[in-house]
Amino acid sequence: MGVSSGQFLRMVHSLAEVTHAEGRDYTSFSVCGKRFGYHWPRTRTAGLKQTLSEQAALVAERPEVFEVQFTAGGFGWVVVHLPRIDADELTELLYEAWRLSAPEALLERHPFRPGQHS
């Protein structure tokens, strides 16, 4: 169990049309100009866009893995502690974050395939 920062970055870059921007302490990830994720290597955490209901469910079910980051534009962002999550679950959450930001045409060309993580 647990995902390394390198493994997380490979997962992110396996998604279509992802761009990244470097901040002082983090990297942000976008698809077609819309942000869907963050990575803080120092704390070994990621921030992922989710629906409000998914944010609430994740944090309530496993507060040792997930915490509320913020809410904005009808979405709930979660902080994910990478050492405490398995790769399959993170792959699904990462795809969902990407899907919530990607345009419909891109989604049609890149459906979710379980087991697509590196």
Side-chain angles (χ1 to χ4, degrees), residues 36-103:
F36 69 88
Y38 295 90
H39 177 238
W40 295 274
R42 186 181 59 76
T43 59
R44 297 184 298 162
T45 57
L48 297 177
K49 186 179 198 178
Q50 297 294 302
T51 63
L52 290 170
S53 59
E54 185 69 9
Q55 177 198 49
L58 290 168
V59 173
E61 290 170 12
R62 297 197 357 252
E64 72 281 3
V65 179
F66 303 102
E67 60 187 81
V68 172
Q69 184 177 8
F70 62 89
T71 59
F75 295 101
W77 290 69
V78 294
V79 173
V80 181
H81 293 271
L82 296 176
R84 300 178 188 157
I85 191 168
D86 70 47
D88 289 335
E89 182 178 19
L90 183 57
T91 297
E92 290 180 28
L93 292 173
L94 185 57
Y95 181 83
E96 179 65 12
W98 176 86
R99 185 191 71 74
L100 291 170
S101 296

